Amino acid sequence: GNEFTLTLRDVHVEGEADLTHEKRLEQVKAAVTQAGQAFREKGYLNYYGLQRFGTFSTGTHAVGLKILQNDLEGAVNLILGYSDHLLPENQQADGNGKVPQDDINRADAIRQWREGKATGAEVMARLPRRFQAEGAIMQFLSKRDKKTGRLIQATDWQGSLMQIQRNLRLMYVHAYQSLVWNTVVGQRWERFGDKVVEGDLVIVGEKDGADTVPKDEVDEDGEPIVRPAAEDAAPSADDKFTRARHLTAAEASSGKYDIFDVVLPLPGFDVLYPGNEIGKFYEEFMGSEAGGKLDPYKMRRSWKDASLSGSYRKMMARPVSGVVDWEVKAYVGEEQMVETDGERVRKVTDKTEANGSAGAANGDATKVENDRDAGEVEDEKKIAVIMKFQLGSSQYATMALRELTKGGAVAYKPDYSTAR
């Protein structure tokens, strides 16, 4: 798993306007204790984080949808999309605009290429290096016959997409799967909450080892099959994939399974869908305009990278081992709350310097406390919450934080935007 230490600054609670700083501190401590305990025991919906869908106006899931619709030209056009307000001539003359120069250069390079004013090589020279997908596509589509100068692969959309690094290329279709999963898990919670119901899916063999698929004990000739011990057995093709099965009504009501056992599939040709109304919702959403009018039962494609087998993801998540630590503290100004990894390393390599820094920090802290006692910085007192927990792989701390704060956390936003 992954361990996270999160610092929430300038924390407030409802109805605090007329409270003293000490009363606010008490209320925050009570609220954090309640939220931390609920987070530890009840967990949270295991949504994919927003970073899964990209940070620009055209999300990665939109590109993935075009690929799954076999509209590869449309996928290329989305990747090469830009807004006119990013072009150089639309920037402020004084250079004090809020658009990063890399985004301006990207838009200009794509515009020049589309208008035929720049070759693939010239585009690569102008395009910032971090835009690898755009560069790979334009360079491929710009290839010409050496004798005639004619473009020879200007409409080979699949070929151009194949030039993108494979991990990034697969990210597009996986983002679409994630969009569907996030939509479905919200619907599942809205309809049934944390109740386990008939038709829910659980992983085969995960609960007490009792759900393993029985294997034939005799071969086709009636002879007994001798199986090697588990540690001596070579992995079979079936072992490579996680399998799920439907719960019966009796199993769902037995108490053996809880909401943390329930999984939902990412759409694909090799998964089961829930055997209840949530399975029907997959069909409804994916078949809608928002879902791209796709059929969840027809996810094979002639292009291997767009042919999705699917997988399963736990509906709910909670901290590993149920451990959540938190601390509520008062601070003023921009006081640092958590020691960084770099500072820990420097402490080990240069204890003398670290001790000196610690002494200075303690002196500053003492001065702040004295100022507080004197009432000199009363208006600057703020409250911070420091939380530490560990999540399993493929679980998102941003979604955990969303649950902890009930959506009240606001990320720091710089004065510029990279929106396309």
Side-chain angles (χ1 to χ4, degrees):
N2 302 296
E3 185 173 271
F4 299 90
T5 301
L6 305 178
T7 301
L8 305 178
R9 293 176 175 269
D10 198 14
V11 176
H12 297 272
V13 292
E14 292 182 356
E16 66 171 30
D18 298 325
L19 298 179
T20 64
H21 177 74
E22 288 70 23
K23 287 292 185 181
R24 285 180 53 219
L25 202 58
E26 290 178 10
Q27 286 206 4
V28 170
K29 287 180 179 179
V32 170
T33 299
Q34 182 179 4
Q37 290 174 345
F39 176 63
R40 179 169 54 205
E41 296 166 8
K42 298 181 180 180
Y44 62 98
L45 291 172
N46 195 20
Y47 286 118
Y48 285 98
L50 295 179
Q51 58 267 48
R52 184 87 169 186
F53 307 103
T55 57
F56 303 109
S57 57
T58 300
T60 50
H61 62 283
V63 177
L65 176 56
K66 289 292 185 183
I67 292 174
L68 292 171
Q69 291 173 327
N70 202 33
D71 181 6
L72 303 187
E73 180 180 1
V76 168
N77 285 331
L78 284 179
I79 295 172
L80 297 182
Y82 64 88
S83 298
D84 287 344
H85 80 273
L86 296 174
L87 294 171
E89 61 268 26
N90 296 327
Q91 306 309 307
Q92 294 181 18
D94 58 9
N96 291 326
K98 297 181 179 181
V99 179
Q101 189 61 45
D102 272 2
D103 283 3
I104 297 172
N105 292 343
R106 173 190 177 276
D108 189 39
I110 295 174
R111 190 260 304 267
Q112 295 285 339
W113 178 80
R114 285 191 178 279
E115 294 178 352
K117 298 178 180 178
T119 65
E122 291 170 339
V123 164
M124 293 303 292
R126 298 180 184 183
L127 192 69
R129 294 184 63 182
R130 68 189 182 95
F131 299 112
Q132 296 178 359
E134 293 91 328
I137 287 174
M138 289 187 286
Q139 194 167 32
F140 178 85
L141 296 177
S142 298
K143 189 173 182 180
R144 295 178 180 273
D145 184 282
K146 292 183 179 179
K147 293 182 178 180
T148 65
R150 182 177 59 87
L151 291 171
I152 57 177
Q153 49 196 33
T155 58
D156 184 359
W157 311 115
Q158 181 173 328
S160 68
L161 291 169
M162 289 289 289
Q163 307 310 304
I164 301 173
Q165 185 182 23
R166 188 168 187 270
N167 286 344
L168 176 57
R169 195 166 68 238
L170 293 178
M171 181 185 70
Y172 296 128
V173 289
H174 290 167
Y176 172 79
Q177 288 179 302
S178 302
L179 171 71
V180 173
W181 196 94
N182 277 6
T183 303
V184 171
V185 75
Q187 191 67 208
R188 167 60 175 78
W189 183 262
E190 183 177 318
R191 297 189 187 190
F192 300 116
D194 62 358
K195 181 182 178 182
V196 178
V197 298
E198 180 182 4
D200 276 341
L201 291 169
V202 295
I203 298 300
V204 170
E206 186 177 77
K207 199 79 171 183
D208 302 327
D211 298 324
T212 52
V213 177
K215 297 183 179 180
D216 295 334
E217 295 303 323
V218 294
D219 62 20
E220 58 186 6
D221 297 320
E223 294 294 327
I225 298 174
V226 179
R227 302 189 185 280
E231 62 271 17
D232 296 327
S236 68
D238 289 338
D239 294 331
K240 296 179 181 179
F241 303 100
T242 299
R243 297 298 177 189
R245 68 175 183 84
H246 297 125
L247 290 179
T248 65
E251 288 173 322
S253 61
S254 68
K256 178 180 178 181
Y257 300 92
D258 61 31
I259 196 64
F260 292 98
D261 297 313
V262 175
V263 297
L264 289 169
L266 282 85
F269 60 78
D270 197 26
V271 294
L272 280 177
Y273 292 95
N276 49 38
E277 59 189 80
I278 299 304
K280 293 292 184 183
F281 182 74
Y282 273 91
E283 299 178 46
E284 294 170 9
F285 175 71
M286 292 179 64
S288 69
E289 194 72 36
K293 297 187 179 299
L294 299 182
D295 185 339
Y297 295 97
K298 296 180 180 179
M299 299 301 290
R300 290 187 185 274
R301 301 291 185 273
S302 57
W303 183 17
K304 182 179 178 181
D305 286 350
S307 194
L308 302 175
S309 61
S311 60
Y312 299 99
R313 180 176 175 85
K314 286 291 182 71
M315 175 180 165
M316 301 292 293
R318 54 185 167 187
V320 175
S321 302
V323 177
V324 182
D325 296 320
W326 58 84
E327 177 187 2
V328 179
K329 61 184 297 184
Y331 74 100
V332 293
E334 297 299 322
E335 178 183 341
Q336 183 170 316
M337 304 293 170
V338 179
E339 188 177 50
T340 66
D341 291 341
E343 288 170 334
R344 294 191 187 100
V345 171
R346 284 193 292 273
K347 275 189 176 181
V348 173
T349 57
D350 193 346
K351 291 183 178 180
T352 302
E353 180 181 346
N355 289 336
S357 298
N362 289 336
D364 291 342
T366 301
K367 181 180 184 304
V368 169
E369 289 301 322
N370 291 338
D371 287 345
R372 288 177 181 172
D373 293 340
E376 294 177 10
V377 290
E378 184 67 28
D379 293 339
E380 297 180 12
K381 287 184 179 179
K382 297 179 181 179
I383 298 174
V385 176
I386 302 169
M387 305 205 73
K388 186 175 182 180
F389 51 84
Q390 188 176 2
L391 299 178
S393 60
S394 192
Q395 293 176 3
Y396 289 78
T398 49
M399 295 297 101
L401 183 61
R402 176 177 176 269
E403 176 63 25
L404 278 165
T405 63
K406 302 303 179 185
V410 179
Y412 168 71
K413 293 183 179 179
D415 288 336
Y416 57 83
S417 169
T418 56
R420 293 182 193 163

